Amino acid sequence: MVSVKFYLDKADKFNYCPIHLVIRQKDIKIKVSTGEKVLKENWDGNNQEVSTSDYNSVAINKFLIFLKQEVEKCIETTPHSNLTDKHIKDLITRLIESRKENNDVKIVCEDSVKYNKMKKITFIDLFAGAGGFSEGFLQAETKDKYFDFRLANDINDNCELTHLARYNYQLGMDAEFLRQDITEPDFIDNLMAKIKDQTIDVVCGGPPCQSFSLAGKRKKFDKKDDLFAHYLNVIKILRPKYFVMENVKGILTKEKGKIKEMILNEIRSILDLKEFPQLIHFVANLKKQHPEYSFILDCYINRLNFEKAVDKELDTLKEAYINSIENKFKNLAPKIANYKTSKTDINFGTIRHGFNLLKRSKELEYIRKKVIQEKNINDLDNDYFASNFDDFLVSIESDSIIEKIHNSFKNLEPGLDYKNEIDDIILALEIFNYSFDECIQDLSKIIRDEKLKVELESILSHIRLYNIDQPFVAMASDYGVPQNRERVLFIGCRKDQKMIHTVPATVKPEDRVTVFEALYDLNFVGNDDEKFNYEEVNINEQYGDKSNFVKSLIKKRGINGTFTKDGLTYAEWSKRGRLSERFKSAKNPFYVRNFDELDNPLAHIVAPLQNHKTSKQNDDVLKRLSIILNAGNYEDAKKELLKNGISTDKRSYSVLKIDGQSPTVLTMPDDYIHFNSPRALTVREMARLQSFDDSFVFQGKRSTGGNKRKFEVPQYTLVGNAVPPLMARAVALEILNNIK
């Protein structure tokens, strides 16, 4: 029988009594100081806790419970022959010292002389999630440049909690976090207030793939709609030297490749406003050569002017644009119909009201956003409500409004004498909705003089602010990540910067990091278990005849995965961390449940190993996982599962292969089965497969379920949605090597 209790030692000169932990088991008696002190009157000996009269009672009691649980767990799981005074004292001391270091030392990220001589390249991370891009960028350095993290943005509180814990508390940085929906009207104002007057050199981020759609063609309206447009709006305002946009591979073929082209066109439509007057002057001169296009060319000039305006100024320009078309229609109306018809005919009504709707596009955008929010809050999908909501959302799109105006003109059947005027009105409405590139394409059709065509091309070569090559598919395993995760990268390069066409692989296909290298040293957890310290893994005992083979998989590597004799294994890099000496004063890894605990350092659970907890599985689940593991894959195991009466409706399980890479890490831990144990992966193991350092702790709730998945971003989701830091590091290094 083991007894683990606390007692107070003699008071110091301030009357504070040190709290000691004492362990008794048969002939063993161990006493260790916990590092905490309390006034004698604030100690409740019966309940073994600090009373609430002490200001720090909650935090201290939480730590004492944690210590007691770890000691009891250690005694329970350690063979009696290994259970020495030293073994237990070392365990307790590690936990206490880690906590003491974090609480006693004020951590400040001070640049050494080396870093004072280097150039800071500022960056912000939009749609940041856990911070995969941020982590990779902070790992990247060259001889004369490094990245200075200024701000991250996301909408979820656990993203912010994890960010603040990692970058502000643990690494001592002053990076800001903006928790706000990028589509909200005051987002830009709040972003600029946090950035202040700093120049931002690089913007990175990955708008969710649902946000890419062609206007008027949407089948499903999602809360993530139009995030891409707002992402680009940030680019237009900050005008960074480079920006990186990450997305799923499917974006290349979505809507038969039209989405990819739309993205490239929108990026190429970001203009250098200093050069913009040249284009307006050029179009104005065209009117002299083509007076027959005078009205349409005025429309192009007015539409192009949208590019240099934002917010209220843009709203004013759009309203003026529609007013000019409406005035042309008012002059035309008496010619094609009598007064009574113009006032009562449904087609005339549609045209007039359509103009009104187009002038109120900002108000309609607000309505659209609120309807999409309600659609998602109420989970309207695959039901009789969804199509009605979607039809309404389509009806208030400018494309749909313009289409109805067009059809109404057709229904009026005006005479041929007025065909040109009506065609001009219809084209003017279409120009209103054109992208910059569409304007240029149509203008080019008007120009017949070859010299003017050359002049226009010259103007465009100066006016486009960003150059961009075709997007490319990046395979995470090519950059030292033990995972076959494909992502598409768009890299926009400001015209004064060198073009980046791709990010070269750092690892040959045959040399990629294996799952075994990434996870073998963490396989010391059981069912419904949690570990806070690393333990030795006996490979011979776990793998028997396969021991020599699995040992051969462990390679010495550089940070980026390349083989090198004086390197570290992937597991060693994960434990040591891949951040540079700039962060040598970082605090030890710690975990908190919420912001209240984050603000109270005494409430931090400080331990060498975090996020390494397994779920509690019943006997049927354990047996099911064992059968699938032994079969090697889910499909081959189905007959045996059915025979044992433990088949399941779950669509898939992926058994990890020790000598290969994992499939794409997603947000559901039970999609994967460990390669040597019948269990799902822990958060830490999934983080290893994503190439996060072990010191990067995922905060808040571990998992969630049901409808809560729509709103909550627990640890597993943070990991699964992240950009692998080592892939981000490769991107960051490519930028550092090219940026001027």
Side-chain angles (χ1 to χ4, degrees):
M1 184 70 177
V2 179
S3 170
V4 181
K5 290 189 176 183
F6 299 97
Y7 75 94
L8 299 187
D9 206 350
K10 293 178 182 178
D12 60 18
K13 61 182 179 180
F14 301 108
N15 293 322
Y16 275 84
C17 303
I19 303 174
H20 285 242
L21 180 147
V22 62
I23 305 165
R24 289 186 176 88
Q25 184 190 31
K26 295 182 180 179
D27 54 341
I28 296 176
K29 182 179 179 180
I30 303 170
K31 291 191 294 184
V32 186
S33 172
T34 66
E36 297 294 342
K37 294 181 179 182
V38 66
L39 292 170
K40 189 172 183 179
E41 57 265 31
N42 290 337
W43 176 250
D44 182 347
N46 291 330
N47 292 311
Q48 291 281 283
E49 64 182 16
V50 180
S51 61
T52 54
S53 53
D54 187 294
Y55 177 76
N56 290 315
S57 62
V58 174
I60 296 175
N61 288 333
K62 181 181 175 184
F63 177 60
L64 296 181
I65 292 170
F66 169 66
L67 264 187
K68 183 177 180 182
Q69 288 175 342
E70 285 304 291
V71 169
E72 290 174 341
K73 191 188 300 180
C74 174
I75 293 172
E76 183 182 334
T77 58
T78 304
H80 188 73
S81 57
N82 296 337
L83 196 61
T84 62
D85 290 17
K86 185 177 184 306
H87 179 85
I88 295 175
K89 280 186 176 180
D90 285 348
L91 166 71
I92 298 170
T93 302
R94 282 198 301 270
L95 296 174
I96 292 172
E97 286 302 314
S98 292
R99 174 182 168 86
K100 189 172 184 295
E101 286 173 17
N102 278 13
N103 292 339
D104 288 356
V105 182
K106 183 179 180 182
I107 303 298
V108 179
C109 183
E110 296 179 351
D111 291 351
S112 63
V113 174
K114 168 188 171 183
Y115 289 100
N116 287 333
K117 293 180 179 179
M118 295 168 69
K119 294 177 184 176
K120 290 182 180 180
I121 306 299
T122 57
F123 80 97
I124 67 171
D125 187 357
L126 302 178
F127 308 97
F133 259 132
S134 305
E135 196 72 9
F137 271 59
L138 291 176
Q139 291 175 9
E141 290 183 3
T142 59
K143 290 182 179 179
D144 62 339
K145 293 186 287 287
Y146 68 94
F147 278 105
D148 181 26
F149 187 18
R150 301 315 315 143
L151 176 140
N153 152 254
D154 210 291
I155 60 172
N156 186 267
D157 55 0
N158 204 33
C159 296
E160 181 178 13
L161 181 65
T162 297
H163 167 97
L164 294 178
R166 175 63 170 174
Y167 300 112
N168 297 82
Y169 280 73
Q170 190 180 3
L171 300 186
M173 303 187 74
D174 60 352
E176 297 278 0
F177 193 95
L178 176 57
R179 182 173 15 131
Q180 187 178 12
D181 187 335
I182 196 172
T183 66
E184 290 179 7
D186 60 348
F187 177 85
I188 293 294
D189 290 339
N190 293 333
L191 176 70
M192 300 307 289
K194 283 185 175 287
I195 293 174
K196 297 173 182 172
D197 56 352
Q198 297 175 95
T199 298
I200 301 302
D201 297 312
V202 181
V203 175
C204 55
C209 61
Q210 295 95 322
S211 69
F212 299 94
S213 296
L214 297 175
K217 303 293 184 184
R218 296 180 177 87
K219 301 297 183 185
K220 176 184 177 182
F221 286 84
D222 189 275
K223 64 183 176 183
K224 298 179 178 123
D225 261 38
D226 285 351
L227 296 180
F228 164 67
H230 290 276
Y231 176 81
L232 274 197
N233 196 35
V234 174
I235 302 301
K236 289 176 184 178
I237 291 168
L238 296 182
R239 299 179 180 267
K241 294 176 180 177
Y242 289 95
F243 66 88
V244 184
M245 193 175 73
E246 174 262 357
N247 219 278
V248 295
K249 186 180 178 182
I251 202 72
L252 298 179
T253 53
K254 191 174 182 181
E255 299 194 29
K256 298 181 179 178
K258 292 179 181 177
I259 295 298
K260 181 198 76 172
E261 292 306 317
M262 180 271 288
I263 293 170
L264 292 174
N265 285 340
E266 290 294 330
I267 291 170
R268 290 167 181 152
S269 296
I270 301 174
L271 307 181
D272 183 348
L273 297 183
K274 291 182 292 185
E275 307 285 348
F276 190 70
Q278 291 185 55
L279 180 62
I280 298 300
H281 181 70
F282 176 85
V283 179
N285 282 338
L286 279 181
K287 289 171 62 178
K288 298 175 183 177
Q289 299 193 23
H290 299 282
E292 70 276 19
Y293 295 127
S294 181
F295 171 73
I296 291 301
L297 288 170
D298 277 337
C299 289
Y300 278 115
I301 290 171
N302 293 335
R303 165 59 190 87
L304 289 171
N305 277 320
F306 291 179
E307 300 297 326
K308 65 177 185 178
V310 293
D311 297 334
K312 291 181 180 178
E313 183 186 357
L314 179 58
D315 296 336
T316 302
L317 288 177
K318 286 185 174 182
E319 185 174 352
Y321 185 104
I322 298 300
N323 279 335
S324 69
I325 304 173
E326 188 176 30
N327 288 334
K328 189 173 181 68
F329 170 68
K330 286 178 178 178
N331 292 329
L332 176 65
K335 302 175 186 178
I336 60 177
N338 58 43
Y339 180 79
K340 182 179 179 182
T341 301
S342 69
K343 292 298 181 183
T344 59
D345 186 86
I346 190 171
N347 294 297
F348 270 93
T350 299
I351 294 167
R352 285 198 306 271
H353 302 157
F355 289 140
N356 291 338
L357 288 169
L358 290 173
K359 283 187 282 188
R360 293 182 61 80
S361 58
K362 186 173 184 178
E363 288 77 9
L364 292 180
E365 179 59 29
Y366 175 78
I367 292 170
R368 180 180 176 279
K369 180 181 175 182
K370 298 302 289 185
V371 172
I372 290 173
Q373 284 179 349
E374 287 301 314
K375 184 173 181 281
N376 282 277
I377 287 170
N378 293 288
D379 200 23
L380 303 186
D381 188 21
N382 193 29
D383 54 42
Y384 289 120
F385 297 108
S387 60
N388 291 333
F389 272 73
D390 288 350
D391 289 345
F392 170 72
L393 290 166
V394 168
S395 74
I396 61 175
E397 291 273 3
S398 55
D399 270 1
S400 294
I401 295 168
I402 291 169
E403 185 180 358
K404 284 184 172 60
I405 294 174
H406 191 173
N407 290 334
S408 293
F409 271 115
K410 286 182 181 178
N411 294 337
L412 287 172
E413 298 182 350
L416 290 175
D417 293 344
Y418 310 110
K419 182 179 183 302
N420 288 341
E421 288 183 82
I422 290 173
D423 286 347
D424 279 354
I425 291 174
I426 296 302
L427 178 55
L429 288 171
E430 290 176 354
I431 292 169
F432 175 77
N433 229 27
Y434 274 179
S435 68
F436 173 80
D437 263 26
E438 287 171 326
C439 286
I440 298 301
Q441 289 168 15
D442 269 25
L443 276 170
S444 299
K445 296 173 185 175
I446 294 175
I447 302 170
R448 300 189 185 97
D449 189 314
E450 287 300 321
K451 289 183 179 178
L452 288 178
K453 288 183 179 180
V454 172
E455 184 183 346
L456 177 60
E457 284 304 313
S458 175
I459 291 171
L460 291 175
S461 68
H462 291 93
I463 202 171
R464 295 186 193 278
L465 188 60
Y466 287 98
N467 296 314
I468 186 166
D469 203 347
Q470 289 293 314
F472 62 94
V473 177
M475 172 65 83
S477 54
D478 287 341
Y479 306 103
V481 183
Q483 177 190 174
N484 286 326
R485 186 187 193 96
E486 289 184 310
R487 283 296 182 269
V488 168
L489 295 177
F490 294 79
I491 300 182
C493 314
R494 205 169 70 189
K495 65 180 183 179
D496 60 336
Q497 300 296 313
K498 187 176 179 181
M499 274 279 284
I500 294 178
H501 301 276
T502 188
V503 178
T506 60
V507 181
K508 297 176 183 177
E510 63 270 22
D511 297 337
R512 289 171 174 167
V513 180
T514 63
V515 167
F516 184 78
E517 288 181 82
L519 303 183
Y520 80 94
D521 66 314
L522 293 177
N523 194 24
F524 48 78
V525 285
N527 184 37
D528 189 25
D529 193 9
E530 183 171 17
K531 299 289 187 180
F532 291 94
N533 277 287
Y534 296 101
E535 296 179 13
E536 186 177 346
V537 171
N538 190 323
I539 291 179
N540 292 331
E541 188 178 289
Q542 285 193 10
Y543 296 93
D545 295 342
K546 294 182 180 179
S547 296
N548 289 334
F549 168 66
V550 297
K551 286 178 183 177
S552 71
L553 297 174
I554 303 172
K555 312 287 186 182
K556 294 286 186 180
R557 300 177 180 271
I559 289 179
N560 60 8
T562 53
F563 289 162
T564 175
K565 291 181 180 179
D566 57 352
L568 303 174
T569 67
Y570 183 90
E572 288 169 342
W573 276 117
S574 299
K575 292 175 184 176
R576 175 188 179 276
R578 299 173 177 89
L579 293 172
S580 70
E581 64 185 71
R582 183 157 57 113
F583 302 102
K584 61 186 177 183
S585 297
K587 290 186 178 183
N588 296 309
F590 68 89
Y591 166 76
V592 293
R593 292 174 297 182
N594 50 50
F595 289 98
D596 288 339
E597 291 187 356
L598 181 63
D599 291 336
N600 181 5
L602 293 175
H604 297 181
I605 293 293
V606 186
L609 180 62
Q610 302 279 1
N611 302 133
H612 200 37
K613 180 179 181 179
T614 55
S615 301
K616 184 176 183 179
Q617 305 287 7
N618 62 38
D619 291 342
D620 282 349
V621 172
L622 290 173
K623 187 174 182 181
R624 181 185 300 125
L625 297 181
S626 294
I627 290 172
I628 299 171
L629 178 60
N630 290 333
N633 65 77
Y634 186 32
E635 196 61 36
D636 290 347
K638 285 183 176 178
K639 287 185 179 179
E640 185 69 15
L641 294 174
L642 188 63
K643 179 181 174 182
N644 285 271
I646 51 173
S647 58
T648 174
D649 293 332
K650 187 172 172 59
R651 286 181 297 176
S652 67
Y653 286 98
S654 292
V655 179
L656 298 181
K657 307 300 180 185
I658 59 173
D659 56 350
Q661 291 71 49
S662 80
T664 300
V665 170
L666 301 174
T667 60
M668 302 295 289
D670 57 354
D671 284 351
Y672 314 96
I673 300 176
H674 191 276
F675 53 83
N676 198 47
S677 299
R679 61 174 177 83
L681 301 183
T682 66
V683 170
R684 179 51 51 204
E685 287 170 322
M686 287 179 70
R688 282 274 188 98
L689 295 178
Q690 281 277 59
S691 74
F692 279 96
D693 290 346
D694 288 1
S695 63
F696 190 109
V697 182
F698 299 87
Q699 309 293 342
K701 292 177 65 173
R702 179 169 160 270
S703 61
T704 192
N707 285 332
K708 289 183 178 179
R709 288 201 182 103
K710 293 182 182 179
F711 314 106
E712 296 181 344
V713 182
Q715 296 169 15
Y716 278 113
T717 304
L718 284 174
V719 177
N721 286 342
V723 174
L726 278 181
M727 187 167 81
R729 180 181 184 273
V731 174
L733 277 173
E734 191 67 14
I735 291 174
L736 286 181
N737 287 325
N738 286 281
I739 198 167
K740 298 176 185 176

